[in-house]
Amino acid sequence: MPARLSRRDFLKCSVVAGISVYLAAPGSAALAALFEKQRLRPLPWDPALGRVRYRTDATAKVSGEKIFSYDMRSRDLPGWPREQAHAMLLRGTRADRIYQGFDLSSLPADLQPDRVVTAADLARDGVAFPKFYGEDMLLPEGKIPAYLGHAVALLIWNDFARFRAAKSRLKFRDDLIRWSEPTGPLERAPWATFRYVRVGGADAFADDTYSSYKDTVLFPIGYKKQNPQWALGEAGGKIDAQGIAHGDAMAAELDAPGADKLVIEREYFSQSIDTAAMELDNANGWFDAATATMHLVCATQSPGEIAQDAPLMLAASRFGVKRLVLHPCYTVGYGSKDHYPFPFIALMAALYGDGRPVRLANDRYEQFQSSLKRHSFRMHYRLKLDRGSGRFEVFQARMLGDGGGRMNFSPSVCLVAATAAQSIYYFPRSDLSSTVIASRALDAGSARGYGTLQSMGATEMLIDEIASELKLDPIELRLRNVFATGMKNTQGAIPGGAQRADEVLRKSREHPLWTQRHKRKAEYEAAHPGRRYGVGFGCVQKDFGTGGEAAFAEVAISAQGEVLLRHIGVEMGTGMATSQAAVCAKWLGRPADEVRTGETQWPELPMIATDDPWLMSQATQDSHIGNPRWTPAYSSPSSASNSAYFFSHATREASRLLFTQGLWPAALAIWGQGFGGGELSPMSVRREDARWVEGKLTAGGLTPLPLQRLIAKAYELGLATGAVVHYLNRWQWSEAEFPLPGDDARLPLDGVALRWGDGSGTSKGIGTPTANGYRMIERTRVHYPPVQRNNAGVVYYSAIGTLAEVAVDTATGKVELLDHHSVLECGTPIVAELVSSQLQGGLAMGIGHALHEFLPLYEGGPGDGDWNFNRYTLPRARDVAVWRQSGELLPPISATDPPKGMAEVAMIPIVPAIVNAIAHATGHRFRELPVTPDKILAAYAAADADAGQSAAANRQESAA
């Protein structure tokens, strides 16, 4: 994007808080040499087999051409100044005393920063975080830090050599910061608490007596020492008091279960970890005061958030910013670059560059000190079941997570941990609550697995312990309690579609790793003295989506025959650009030729969102639905495994409209040419008969037509040549009625715009003209899911089971993962190879969580600024059974099964599978992650001590 906007570019801008916002697509002039337009190749499509041969970015990846934003310099960006400034954040490493300033006198005069920015400067200039991130972008003097590693100043140098030399001298220097005597850390109320109570009806399919979906989610009336306090339960009282009364009744039953019942009570711990993305947080920003334009190049999973919140931040400052030009870039962050504060810190830095672009880029120590972490959780579970049948009856969970010093996504993680705890099981009655506290730890946020890794992993360990107590095969116990289609989850909602966890269980039970585990154990241990062999299993189902999913997509065909796809989704290494291009093939006969991701400006379909989709009242929603341009949510970040199911919905619906309103009528016109109606007239052909065969369209024996011929006819007749769509999903698709013929009169969309012919003013077509030749087809009626649907928690699941084979060295405590096998249910894969890569990568992350990765929460942890990979252990190829691992996909029920989100669920079951395998190998159950060699040796030592004491007691008894 050139430094100065053209008039056309300016007119394409949206306006937020009086600031025009332009998001330069990755294919823009500024980044053309580095990003999608020059590096993505048309998909190598095999029309005969209907499959993609390799990723659209495959060549760029293997040849080193795929560049991430970490490499950005101002000299690389057309129109930017060549002089590049560099910045670093000075951070405090304590959070239990008052900050009293800093001292840079240890730097020689020639290395002093050219600009120092403090909280006083930000207060004077009106620069602050968006509300989501809380207070104190830089910590003011006289305050206690909210967390370890809280930034106290921004230091800027105008050249790299001095910056590099100065930064080297400033690192690991605790004496730079002045502190008061210890006062103790800040004490704050928890970030969130959610409680879900359900009492089922006469059977698993009857109406509930009480549930969060039907009635209400429960919230505390206050906190005492960060513990939630609840209102008094009252069976005939208000709706929330009724729920608490049901919870009290369950607690009493767990305290006194009866002779034929079993209550298992256990506590589990899941640690804080770093998401460890190889791409470090970085950005380059330039404030051009002459044109009042802020330019920012940054990596993000949620460019829409920056486009919405950055103008609000800039408008509140005294700098007079009038325009914002954003370049959202590729990123790989496993969730950690979704709604994270770094882009806003980079904007702050750019404001103080005195005309120079300012580059802010973490080194690995700084990344550990500041990046979003996974929430640690302590989980206290009680489960009541019938001893004879093994059927579960009551499940109670009390979970406590640590959200660190900023709130971030802690409320959402808190909610999801509670709703996920049931995993693949049906519980007739349940009382699940989760609290995430505020602490002096680094702020925890979005991370792959997002609260479910913690709670479901613990559930799976608990189920194995119950099976051991009942002397039942662990998979058999699971099958007796597995969640079946039509049953209700612990929120009281019936999940969408067929539930297939039972099939996953049966497939896993038949695998040789399971059927031969006892035989293999005896053989392995006989052949390997001092090593103990074990096989474990874990099976989970995880939700995908957020309950507030929204997306735009455009699919268009050019007169030259090229297929263009634009999408809000961000390519973050998952292959989303490849899969979305492939989605087009069902309706267009081949994938998109050009894919543009991370698009946030949609003037062709000018929808507006005015309220929070999760918090709005029903009355608020009802008051807006008369406006055909209003929607409950504008767009979603790339997160929560939402691309396969949700993003594909937009791509598929846009492609379908292009077919039904453009290509199919064009085909009928061609087939109907000639005297008496041509070859079409004698035939009886419906649209559902249409098939693409090797890139040509045919139906009912009619002449196959190549796409280019269809496109030419669509342009000639002024038919649809482009479609832009928008949807809203609140655990249910919105639907709207449009003045379009046939099946298109009611669509699972809430916004549609079409381009007719070449889009010129002379083109025929209905709708209100908007931009770029499009016309908005304004809906005549809309049907949004009721806001009560939020209480459903989750309704979309994908299931996976994983078997793990381990060997434990009794001398060293080291666990070797010998093999693992997974059975995944994910609907119809869009690109099977991408599913395989997500499965392998997710498994590696889960293995790290189970055996290797750990961060201390407070002092001694990453907030000290001295953590790197010399202290933090990631699994290597040798740790993940890279050459022996295997996986399989359950075949879809039919060809119409939608693809399901599975990138997160893939990492979860390997964690309990490994822990359960260690129990099979050693006889000891570990409930605190990670299971490290020192913990295993300690368990052996404790067992030996117990055995010694028992033997001594027996000898004394014999002597007596």
Side-chain angles (χ1 to χ4, degrees):
M1 175 65 201
R4 288 167 174 78
L5 299 176
S6 69
R7 180 176 180 276
R8 180 174 180 272
D9 288 331
F10 179 77
L11 292 174
K12 288 169 61 179
C13 295
S14 62
V15 177
V16 180
I19 294 179
S20 57
V21 183
Y22 180 84
L23 271 94
S28 65
L31 306 182
L34 298 165
F35 290 108
E36 291 181 353
K37 195 166 186 180
Q38 300 300 318
R39 293 296 178 242
L40 296 189
R41 306 292 187 249
L43 273 186
W45 178 252
D46 186 332
L49 297 177
R51 56 172 294 183
V52 176
R53 289 174 51 219
Y54 49 81
R55 292 172 60 135
T56 187
D57 55 355
T59 304
K61 286 171 71 72
V62 300
S63 63
E65 291 183 331
K66 187 169 182 179
I67 307 297
F68 289 79
S69 61
Y70 188 83
D71 301 280
M72 290 294 116
R73 298 292 192 280
S74 60
R75 65 175 178 267
D76 298 321
L77 302 170
W80 285 44
R82 292 190 62 80
E83 297 79 13
Q84 174 74 71
H86 298 266
M88 67 171 284
L89 289 165
L90 192 63
R91 296 181 178 274
T93 56
R94 297 180 180 177
D96 63 347
R97 57 200 71 194
I98 297 170
Y99 166 61
Q100 296 180 332
F102 60 91
D103 181 5
L104 300 180
S105 61
S106 60
L107 283 179
D110 62 332
L111 293 184
Q112 289 290 324
D114 297 297
R115 185 74 163 87
V116 176
V117 183
T118 66
D121 297 303
L122 302 188
R124 180 197 67 218
D125 298 333
V127 179
F129 267 137
K131 185 178 179 181
F132 178 82
Y133 298 100
E135 300 177 339
D136 298 336
M137 185 180 284
L138 297 176
L139 182 67
E141 293 184 26
K143 294 185 72 171
I144 298 172
Y147 51 92
L148 295 157
H150 200 146
V152 301
L154 177 79
L155 313 180
I156 302 174
W157 288 263
N158 291 341
D159 63 276
F160 182 78
R162 292 170 55 248
F163 159 75
R164 185 67 263 174
K167 185 173 182 177
S168 297
R169 294 192 181 214
L170 295 175
K171 289 187 70 65
F172 316 122
R173 292 282 302 276
D174 292 337
D175 59 334
L176 299 174
I177 311 295
R178 297 192 296 267
W179 302 101
S180 72
E181 293 301 312
T183 59
L186 293 175
E187 293 185 6
R188 292 170 287 174
W191 295 128
T193 295
F194 292 89
R195 184 174 176 183
Y196 294 86
V197 171
R198 176 178 174 268
V199 177
D203 59 45
F205 305 97
D207 289 345
D208 285 345
T209 300
Y210 186 96
S211 75
S212 300
Y213 179 26
K214 182 172 74 74
D215 299 294
T216 185
V217 180
L218 302 178
F219 299 98
I221 57 174
Y223 295 94
K224 183 178 292 184
K225 293 185 178 179
Q226 297 200 329
N227 293 312
Q229 305 297 302
W230 303 98
L232 293 176
E234 185 178 353
K238 294 181 179 180
I239 199 73
D240 57 342
Q242 292 177 34
I244 292 168
H246 285 300
D248 292 342
M250 283 183 254
E253 193 173 324
L254 288 164
D255 291 338
D260 58 343
K261 307 297 181 182
L262 172 66
V263 171
I264 296 284
E265 182 173 359
R266 296 290 185 269
E267 185 167 286
Y268 300 92
F269 175 75
S270 180
Q271 77 279 27
S272 168
I273 69 157
D274 195 273
T275 49
M278 294 297 103
E279 181 196 352
L280 309 175
D281 290 342
N282 63 94
N284 205 341
W286 170 42
F287 178 49
D288 181 4
T291 62
T293 302
M294 172 66 77
H295 303 258
L296 181 69
V297 176
C298 64
T300 176
Q301 290 175 229
S302 44
E305 179 219 9
I306 302 174
Q308 182 63 37
D309 289 348
L312 300 175
M313 169 185 163
L314 296 171
S317 75
R318 69 161 182 84
F319 289 90
V321 180
K322 299 300 182 185
R323 283 170 291 278
L324 172 63
V325 181
L326 293 176
H327 301 268
C329 301
Y330 282 122
T331 181
V332 179
Y334 315 113
S336 66
K337 289 180 172 60
D338 174 19
H339 285 76
Y340 75 127
F342 195 88
F344 299 98
I345 297 172
L347 281 172
M348 177 266 288
L351 288 171
Y352 294 95
D354 296 327
R356 292 178 176 83
V358 179
R359 180 172 178 267
L360 184 65
N362 283 347
D363 61 26
R364 184 57 66 178
Y365 290 101
E366 291 167 320
Q367 186 72 11
F368 270 103
Q369 192 178 24
S370 62
S371 64
L372 294 177
K373 302 297 183 274
R374 183 184 301 286
H375 290 73
S376 71
F377 264 89
R378 191 162 292 279
M379 294 144 289
H380 189 99
Y381 288 173
R382 292 204 291 173
L383 196 158
K384 173 176 173 279
L385 66 149
D386 180 75
R387 285 182 180 272
S389 65
R391 299 280 186 181
F392 301 156
E393 296 181 355
V394 177
F395 183 32
Q396 182 194 75
R398 299 291 180 259
M399 292 172 254
L400 185 66
D402 194 312
R406 293 193 186 276
M407 183 170 69
N408 206 280
F409 271 145
S410 283
S412 180
V413 172
C414 180
L415 179 156
V416 171
T419 59
Q422 77 172 100
S423 190
I424 62 168
Y425 308 105
Y426 175 73
F427 295 99
R429 287 168 291 161
S430 54
D431 178 7
L432 314 176
S433 72
S434 176
T435 297
V436 173
I437 64 169
S439 77
R440 66 188 185 279
L442 275 69
D443 43 325
S446 177
R448 192 178 198 174
Y450 201 90
T452 66
L453 169 74
Q454 298 91 321
S455 63
M456 284 196 291
T459 301
E460 281 301 282
M461 296 178 215
L462 178 69
I463 300 307
D464 254 47
E465 292 204 48
I466 294 171
S468 178
E469 179 75 18
L470 297 178
K471 296 181 172 51
L472 265 180
D473 178 289
I475 296 183
E476 172 60 28
L477 178 62
R478 288 170 168 86
L479 281 166
R480 293 185 187 185
N481 292 280
V482 69
F483 193 99
T485 303
M487 290 179 173
K488 299 180 190 69
N489 61 23
T490 50
Q491 301 82 256
I494 298 175
Q499 304 304 297
R500 305 181 67 191
D502 60 332
E503 296 178 58
V504 172
L505 291 172
R506 291 187 177 93
K507 274 271 189 184
S508 302
R509 185 171 61 177
E510 296 166 0
H511 194 274
L513 277 177
W514 191 254
T515 59
Q516 300 174 18
R517 65 191 187 282
H518 300 305
K519 175 175 175 288
R520 291 189 182 201
K521 181 175 177 65
E523 292 173 349
Y524 184 93
E525 292 179 358
H528 300 83
R531 290 167 68 85
R532 298 291 179 262
Y533 174 98
V535 173
F537 179 66
C539 187
V540 301
Q541 61 183 21
K542 189 194 177 300
D543 65 291
F544 48 93
T546 64
E549 291 291 338
F552 289 91
E554 176 191 14
V555 178
I557 45 180
S558 72
Q560 293 72 40
E562 294 182 335
V563 179
L564 165 70
L565 169 64
R566 294 173 59 231
H567 209 292
I568 68 151
V570 175
E571 171 60 83
M572 50 182 193
T574 59
M576 174 265 183
T578 300
S579 63
Q580 292 305 304
V583 168
C584 299
K586 172 180 171 59
W587 291 102
L588 307 183
R590 71 164 194 253
D593 300 295
E594 181 180 351
V595 183
R596 301 178 190 171
T597 61
E599 297 272 326
T600 63
Q601 303 302 306
W602 297 89
E604 303 87 352
L605 183 56
M607 306 287 285
I608 59 169
T610 57
D611 302 274
D612 189 311
W614 294 279
L615 300 179
M616 73 172 64
S617 67
Q618 187 64 47
T620 297
Q621 177 168 292
D622 292 343
S623 70
H624 286 300
I625 60 174
N627 180 354
R629 302 189 177 203
W630 182 83
T631 181
Y634 189 79
S635 66
S636 302
S638 294
S639 62
S641 294
N642 60 2
S643 68
Y645 183 72
F646 297 99
F647 287 178
S648 294
H649 180 81
T651 305
R652 186 166 47 248
E653 288 299 315
S655 301
R656 181 187 172 281
L657 274 170
L658 194 57
F659 180 84
T660 60
Q661 298 295 318
L663 300 183
W664 179 249
L668 294 177
I670 295 171
W671 287 323
Q673 290 173 351
F675 182 76
E679 65 173 290
L680 178 62
S681 183
M683 310 296 287
S684 174
V685 176
R686 292 184 174 90
R687 194 174 67 196
E688 54 264 34
D689 299 327
R691 297 292 186 274
W692 290 98
V693 179
E694 297 193 8
K696 297 179 180 180
L697 183 69
T698 185
L702 294 166
T703 302
L705 302 173
L707 180 61
Q708 180 60 63
R709 187 175 177 191
L710 294 170
I711 292 173
K713 179 59 72 171
Y715 270 87
E716 175 191 334
L717 299 179
L719 301 172
T721 58
V724 178
V725 302
H726 183 270
Y727 67 73
L728 181 283
N729 182 290
R730 185 187 283 130
W731 305 125
Q732 179 181 334
W733 293 106
S734 59
E735 292 187 343
E737 297 171 18
F738 298 91
L740 291 169
D743 294 344
D744 295 336
R746 181 164 174 145
L747 297 169
L749 300 166
D750 66 348
V752 169
L754 296 174
R755 186 184 70 202
W756 306 99
D758 61 6
S760 66
T762 59
S763 295
K764 298 178 182 179
I766 61 172
T768 305
T770 52
N772 300 320
Y774 277 85
R775 292 171 176 261
M776 183 173 181
I777 314 300
E778 294 190 349
R779 67 198 186 211
T780 55
R781 184 176 296 179
V782 68
H783 308 272
Y784 284 120
V787 299
Q788 182 78 4
R789 191 76 175 162
N790 284 321
N791 290 356
V794 294
V795 298
Y796 301 111
Y797 294 107
S798 50
I800 181 173
T802 298
L803 293 156
E805 180 186 44
V806 306
V808 179
D809 190 315
T810 57
T812 65
K814 179 176 173 55
V815 177
E816 181 183 358
L817 184 61
L818 302 174
D819 195 2
H820 53 90
H821 178 79
S822 295
V823 180
L824 174 63
E825 186 272 314
C826 63
T828 302
I830 303 171
V831 181
E833 291 81 359
L834 292 177
V835 173
S836 177
S837 69
Q838 287 299 307
L839 179 60
Q840 294 173 51
L843 285 162
M845 292 183 74
I847 292 163
H849 195 83
L851 296 175
H852 304 284
E853 299 178 59
F854 172 77
L855 285 173
L857 280 169
Y858 306 125
E859 288 76 16
D864 291 352
D866 55 3
W867 275 72
N868 205 326
F869 287 123
N870 62 325
R871 302 177 66 183
Y872 188 85
T873 305
L874 286 175
R876 273 60 166 185
R878 64 174 179 270
D879 300 314
V880 301
V882 67
W883 300 119
R884 297 193 61 186
Q885 63 176 298
S886 57
E888 60 182 300
L889 305 184
L890 279 189
I893 297 172
S894 78
T896 63
D897 285 20
K900 294 184 176 183
M902 48 66 61
E904 290 186 281
V905 73
M907 75 171 292
I908 301 173
I910 187 70
V911 177
I914 288 172
V915 178
N916 292 334
I918 293 171
H920 182 218
T922 66
H924 185 84
R925 296 200 174 272
F926 294 89
R927 304 186 184 99
E928 303 227 346
L929 299 176
V931 183
T932 52
D934 58 323
K935 291 178 182 177
I936 291 174
L937 292 177
Y940 273 124
D944 289 344
D946 289 343
Q949 291 176 359
S950 178
N954 289 335
R955 286 194 298 271
Q956 290 177 359
E957 185 176 342
S958 299

